[in-house]
Amino acid sequence: MELAAAKQEGFVSKHLTKTNTDGTASRKRLLAVIGILTRFGRKNNRDAVRKAWMSSGAALKKLEDDKGIIIRFVIGRSPNRGDSSDKDIDNENRQTNDFMILENHVEAPEENSKKTKLFFAHAADTWDAEFYAKVNDDVYVNIDALGSMLGAYLDKPRVYIGCMKSGEVFSEPTHKWYEPDWWKFGDGKSYFRHASGEMFVISQAVAQFISINRAILRTYAHDDVSVGSWFIGLDVKHIDEAKFCCSSWSSGAICAAV
């Protein structure tokens, strides 16, 4: 039913404002939802992000109200449900109220691609926004520059924005970036073009596609490759944005990896 409704809408973003039956305009759609993927034992990273660019408390709420940007740390649950790791996150969230806790996701390094998929699905289900962004918890973001840049793409219904790259597919199990499904990528052993996993953005229509098809979207060893694979056969505009090359520290960059 959801897929049929989405097809009827054509996965096209609605207007920034909605008109009520009495002719008045209701609350504007959010500009962006940013998910900062984090893990257990990374509280120092989260505190640094809060201090540097995310804000907290009233300032975080003001960012939502004034700029239409929602920011949440994204984390799953411990394999040992209810243990000290889970309790530490719950306690931290009671103090900061800035987490999206994926209750049905178990934290594990090899499950990071599924975690990214669930973030986009849950974010699209929870918030009505023009864009959805994934960021690592060791990346700093210039929020004002990000907002200005996204404004240029409001008229594009299906976009995938990031620092586009390719790279070697590693078939050796001992390699750091080992890809168990290496044979699927052909004799050239090179990944297709995809956005670097440090930070990338997708528009609402694309996030809705992920939400609707979450059960059948294949994930690979790396989340950036997984996300890129979902859009290869779709009418999605790939935008190679140098300002999202967080590791380059280039002039005018929107993000910086530390």
Side-chain angles (χ1 to χ4, degrees):
M1 292 175 63
E2 290 178 353
L3 182 58
K7 284 181 176 177
Q8 188 172 359
E9 291 182 8
F11 293 111
V12 177
S13 297
K14 301 172 184 175
H15 295 292
L16 282 173
T17 58
K18 298 178 181 178
T19 304
N20 298 322
T21 54
D22 60 0
T24 61
S26 62
R27 178 182 174 84
K28 286 185 178 180
R29 168 177 290 169
L30 294 166
L31 176 62
V33 175
I34 302 174
I36 307 171
L37 269 67
T38 189
R39 306 189 301 274
F40 297 126
R42 305 272 289 185
K43 187 176 186 301
N44 288 341
N45 286 59
R46 293 191 291 272
D47 286 341
V49 166
R50 291 182 182 109
K51 185 176 181 180
W53 65 271
M54 176 181 172
S55 301
S56 58
L60 184 62
K61 184 66 168 63
K62 182 176 174 60
L63 183 65
E64 297 174 8
D65 294 339
D66 293 354
K67 297 184 182 297
I69 297 177
I70 298 277
I71 309 175
R72 294 292 185 270
F73 288 108
V74 182
I75 196 166
R77 287 300 190 182
S78 169
N80 302 309
R81 187 82 177 208
D83 66 4
S84 60
S85 295
D86 278 349
K87 290 177 181 177
D88 287 345
I89 292 297
D90 288 337
N91 290 335
E92 185 178 343
N93 193 35
R94 276 192 286 270
Q95 297 173 16
T96 60
N97 194 32
D98 57 7
F99 278 86
M100 173 193 285
I101 300 176
L102 303 173
E103 296 290 348
N104 296 323
H105 176 75
V106 175
E107 280 292 318
E110 65 273 16
E111 299 294 337
N112 201 50
S113 296
K114 293 180 181 177
K115 181 177 176 180
T116 298
K117 177 171 66 171
L118 288 176
F119 156 64
F120 283 122
H122 284 281
D125 292 346
T126 304
W127 291 289
D128 180 24
E130 291 293 334
F131 301 99
Y132 300 83
K134 177 260 176 174
V135 183
N136 288 342
D137 69 358
D138 57 357
V139 169
Y140 289 10
V141 178
N142 184 328
I143 289 294
D144 289 335
L146 175 64
S148 297
M149 189 274 291
L150 292 179
Y153 297 108
L154 285 172
D155 61 337
K156 306 290 191 301
R158 293 174 298 278
V159 294
Y160 170 39
I161 312 169
C163 180
M164 296 294 168
K165 64 173 188 174
S166 186
E168 184 178 353
V169 180
F170 294 98
S171 58
E172 301 80 17
T174 56
H175 197 281
K176 179 181 179 181
W177 305 116
Y178 171 57
E179 173 58 71
D181 285 315
W182 58 268
W183 62 275
K184 292 184 178 179
F185 295 92
D187 296 334
K189 292 179 65 176
S190 179
Y191 287 119
F192 40 76
R193 193 70 64 185
H194 59 278
S196 170
E198 292 172 320
M199 179 179 185
F200 57 85
V201 177
I202 60 176
S203 57
Q204 185 190 67
V206 184
Q208 288 174 341
F209 171 83
I210 295 173
S211 175
I212 292 168
N213 296 283
R214 70 186 80 175
I216 58 173
L217 287 175
R218 179 75 169 83
T219 55
Y220 295 96
H222 313 297
D223 69 335
D224 52 357
V225 172
S226 298
V227 173
S229 73
W230 304 334
F231 308 146
I232 287 292
L234 298 181
D235 184 16
V236 172
K237 184 174 180 59
H238 289 55
I239 298 172
D240 185 11
E241 178 52 74
K243 293 179 180 179
F244 278 6
C245 296
C246 308
S247 297
S248 66
W249 290 75
S250 59
S251 177
I254 286 172
C255 57
V258 295

